Every structure is written in C-alpha cells, then in structure tokens.
Amino acid sequence: NVKGIGFVDLLKMIADSSGFNIIISDEVKGIPPTSLTLTNIPWDQALDTVLMIGKLHATKNGNILIVNSIEKAAEEAKKEAESRELNEKKIPLVTKIFPLSFAKIDDSKTLLQVYATKDRGAISVDTRTNSIIVKDTTEIIEKMKKIIETLDTQTPQILIESKIVEARES
C-alpha cells in the first residue's frame, strides 16, 4: 500500500522484493506520483501493473531490468531494426543449385519464395534439369536446403496385387 509515491521509489521497492537489479531512465523521474493498493500479488505482476500505469517499458537482460518510456523503447527498437537491416545488406550473396527428384518445381519455387531475403534473394528454376537455383545469404540457403530435403520425398504408393488361381479335378 503506497500513497503519492514517485515511480522511481516504487520501482526501487519492486527491485528490493524481486531481487532484480533495475536501471531506471531519466524519463521515469518526470512521471507524476501514484497510489497503489495491492494485496497478495506476485512482484512480476505488480511490476507489469506499474509499467502499464506509467506507460513504461522494461527490457530484461539477465538479472537486470532496464526501465524507460514506451516512446524511447519504440525508438530504440526502430534503430535496432534499421541497424539489423543495414547489416543484412552487407552480407554477401551465394548461389546454390538444388536438384529436385520428386517435388514439382513450380510448387517448390512458390514455397521457397516466402523464405527469400526481401529485395535481395532470387529464386529461379531450370525445368530441363528439374533444379531450383537460389541466390541468397548462406543462412537463408541453409534454411531452404532443409526445407527442400524435407519436402522432396517420394509420395508413398500402395501396391495392390492379385492372383487368380484356377483349379480343376483332372
């Protein structure tokens, strides 16, 4: 039970009861004080409630929780995504040919197109040799290889055999 307590002090109380180390950003200090009455609530549920009330976001890193505003967390996630995208563009492309034995080449191409790297990867087919030619990063090619190995199998068939026996008394 707390009345008119700042979010920094409230998060410190949760840190004491949880055993986690909590790093609080400067944006949290500007949030107006709040009052809470919680009974028989686990600390993680209390933390989630406090974060929701204060429009905050927590990132877990081992035994550390980093608390900052949702806006700053979204901005950091956007920067991380842009950085990841830039790094993906730097990865060299590799070409690999996958011969197919049983799968239909057009169906396989359509299926693999989903896994190709956006704006970089390319998939083409050679109907003469029933092969798929993939140009993409090594990681994506390994994924496609596993998919092709799994799907390029012979369709199970059933053999129905009958024998007619004719018998006479003579």
Side-chain angles (χ1 to χ4, degrees), residues 1-20:
N1 293 333
V2 291
K3 185 174 184 176
I5 189 169
F7 272 84
V8 173
D9 295 329
L10 190 56
L11 289 170
K12 285 180 182 177
M13 287 174 54
I14 293 173
D16 290 340
S17 66
S18 69
F20 268 87

Side-chain angles (χ1 to χ4, degrees), residues 2-164:
V2 291
K3 185 174 184 176
I5 189 169
F7 272 84
V8 173
D9 295 329
L10 190 56
L11 289 170
K12 285 180 182 177
M13 287 174 54
I14 293 173
D16 290 340
S17 66
S18 69
F20 268 87
N21 299 306
I22 297 182
I23 299 173
I24 303 168
S25 68
D26 292 334
E27 294 94 23
V28 178
K29 294 175 185 172
I31 299 174
T34 188
S35 299
L36 286 175
T37 302
L38 301 172
T39 308
N40 295 329
I41 301 293
W43 71 267
D44 56 339
Q45 190 175 1
L47 175 65
D48 290 341
T49 304
V50 168
L51 293 175
M52 185 178 65
I53 291 170
K55 295 183 175 121
L56 300 172
H57 180 266
T59 306
K60 183 179 176 188
N61 184 5
N63 197 25
I64 300 172
L65 285 175
I66 302 170
V67 179
N68 54 18
S69 67
I70 290 177
E71 294 85 18
K72 187 171 181 179
E75 184 181 306
E76 288 175 3
K78 184 179 177 183
K79 284 181 183 177
E80 186 177 316
E82 288 173 356
S83 173
R84 192 178 319 116
E85 189 175 306
L86 275 172
N87 287 338
E88 285 177 357
K89 288 182 179 180
K90 292 178 183 178
I91 298 173
L93 298 179
V94 179
T95 302
K96 179 128 176 143
I97 299 172
F98 297 102
L100 298 179
S101 300
F102 304 105
K104 293 181 181 176
I105 198 162
D106 293 328
D107 294 342
S108 298
K109 179 184 177 187
T110 306
L111 182 73
L112 293 175
Q113 206 77 39
V114 175
Y115 299 98
T117 304
K118 186 178 178 183
D119 298 330
R120 290 191 75 205
I123 298 175
S124 55
V125 296
D126 181 23
T127 53
R128 188 179 58 79
T129 59
N130 203 40
S131 298
I132 293 182
I133 304 161
V134 179
K135 182 177 182 180
D136 215 319
T137 63
T138 308
E139 181 182 337
I140 299 296
I141 285 181
E142 286 301 315
K143 286 181 185 178
M144 288 185 184
K145 179 181 177 184
K146 290 177 184 176
I147 292 169
I148 290 171
E149 287 174 352
T150 304
L151 298 179
D152 189 32
T153 57
Q154 187 173 13
T155 305
Q157 296 179 4
I158 299 173
L159 175 65
I160 299 175
E161 193 174 288
S162 65
K163 293 183 181 180
I164 299 175

